[in-house]
């Protein structure tokens, strides 16, 4: 049975992690079997809390994630077994109770802000990448995404950024850069870094 290569992509909120993951999967590894998994779907549901109480939670803290389930899923993919990824609703801060079936693949790309901070996840990666993006760019992208895609008000986004997102980035995310094999300065057109990463992945696939 061929080995499964797990690539971990970390970085701050709205740093471009998913864009880099999709560029690797779609533009560079086109034709190769690739699975993309986002840690965003592994938030706990906190069904016992009201919506107002959920809004006060720090979703950039490891305690809000179902780390055990994510690790279990990574192990299953490593064993070439399918998984059912939960579907999370950001507008209500809760799990929907539904899931998406994902079949195993030669390459698994996992992205998440805390993916390099959490040791249980980090140690499962074969290639560890950190996307480094300027704070102001991340904030602007965060503001645009949460107003358009998640129905948040500008005032709520600013408050969340100042009280949880920025402090958690400094404490959990920024320090995890020390665990990265590759550090990518993010820009929309940083194709050289993506090419380098894809070349390494193709090398691993050839060895398999």
């Amino acid at each position: 049975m061929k080995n499964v290569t797990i690539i971990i992509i970390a970085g701050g909120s709205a740093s471009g992690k998913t864009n880099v993951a999709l560029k690797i999967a779609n533009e560079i590894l086109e034709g190769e079997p690739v699975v993309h998994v986002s840690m965003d779907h592994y938030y706990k549901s906190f069904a016992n809390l009201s919506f107002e109480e959920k809004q006060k939670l720090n979703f950039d803290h490891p305690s809000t994630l179902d780390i055990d389930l994510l690790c279990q899923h990574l192990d299953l993919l490593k064993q070439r077994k399918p998984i059912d990824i939960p579907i999370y609703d950001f507008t209500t801060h809760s799990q929907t109770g539904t899931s998406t079936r994902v079949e195993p693949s030669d390459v698994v790309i996992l992205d998440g802000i805390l993916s390099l901070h959490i040791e249980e996840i980090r140690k499962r990666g074969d290639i560890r990448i950190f996307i480094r993006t300027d704070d102001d760019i991340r904030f602007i992208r965060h503001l645009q995404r949460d107003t358009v895609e998640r129905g948040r008000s500008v005032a709520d986004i600013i408050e969340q950024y100042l009280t949880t997102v920025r402090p958690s980035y400094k404490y959990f995310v920024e320090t995890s850069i020390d665990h990265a094999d590759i550090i990518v300065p993010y820009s929309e057109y940083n194709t050289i870094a993506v090419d380098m990463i894809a070349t390494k992945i193709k090398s691993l696939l050839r060895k398999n």
Side-chain angles (χ1 to χ4, degrees):
M1 184 171 63
K2 293 193 297 183
N3 291 330
V4 175
T5 299
I6 297 181
I7 303 161
I8 293 177
I9 302 179
S13 177
S15 61
K17 300 179 298 299
T18 300
N19 284 346
V20 171
L22 293 176
K23 282 179 182 292
I24 294 171
N26 297 332
E27 297 181 17
I28 307 300
L29 294 177
E30 186 176 358
E32 298 284 358
V34 179
V35 165
H36 174 223
V37 179
S38 173
M39 283 180 67
D40 286 350
H41 291 293
Y42 290 84
Y43 282 113
K44 297 175 182 176
S45 193
F46 297 103
N48 60 317
L49 300 181
S50 67
F51 177 74
E52 290 72 22
E53 290 172 323
K54 290 178 183 179
Q55 283 188 304
K56 297 176 182 178
L57 292 173
N58 180 1
F59 288 98
D60 294 274
H61 193 282
S63 63
T64 58
L65 291 162
D66 192 340
I67 298 169
D68 290 340
L69 179 61
L70 176 55
C71 289
Q72 181 187 62
H73 280 182
L74 291 176
D75 290 343
L76 287 171
L77 289 172
K78 195 78 173 178
Q79 298 164 23
R80 292 192 173 274
K81 296 179 180 178
I83 62 172
D84 293 308
I85 296 180
I87 297 176
Y88 187 81
D89 186 348
F90 286 95
T91 60
T92 62
H93 301 298
S94 60
Q95 289 290 344
T96 63
T98 59
S99 61
T100 301
R101 171 57 61 103
V102 172
E103 298 296 331
S105 177
D106 292 348
V107 177
V108 175
I109 302 177
L110 170 71
D111 75 67
I113 61 174
L114 298 169
S115 56
L116 287 182
H117 170 77
I118 300 169
E119 183 181 5
E120 297 96 316
I121 297 171
R122 181 175 71 238
K123 68 183 182 183
R124 287 169 165 80
D126 299 294
I127 301 175
R128 303 170 186 88
I129 302 168
F130 189 96
I131 310 298
R132 185 165 58 193
T133 308
D134 289 344
D135 290 353
D136 54 349
I137 298 298
R138 288 192 300 103
F139 174 72
I140 292 169
R141 288 165 59 95
H142 182 84
L143 185 68
Q144 292 173 329
R145 181 196 65 193
D146 282 15
T147 51
V148 175
E149 298 178 12
R150 301 178 181 178
R152 310 274 169 77
S153 69
V154 173
D156 286 344
I157 294 168
I158 292 173
E159 181 182 4
Q160 181 193 40
Y161 182 82
L162 292 176
T163 57
T164 62
V165 175
R166 189 175 185 276
S168 293
Y169 176 80
K170 296 297 182 183
Y171 189 81
F172 297 116
V173 183
E174 190 173 54
T175 55
S176 73
I177 197 171
D178 294 336
H179 301 294
D181 303 308
I182 303 168
I183 301 171
V184 178
Y186 181 76
S187 72
E188 295 289 347
Y189 305 102
N190 193 351
T191 56
I192 293 176
V194 175
D195 284 344
M196 290 174 59
I197 296 165
T199 298
K200 177 60 177 177
I201 297 167
K202 289 178 180 178
S203 174
L204 290 172
L205 290 174
R206 284 196 296 269
K207 288 180 181 179
N208 288 340

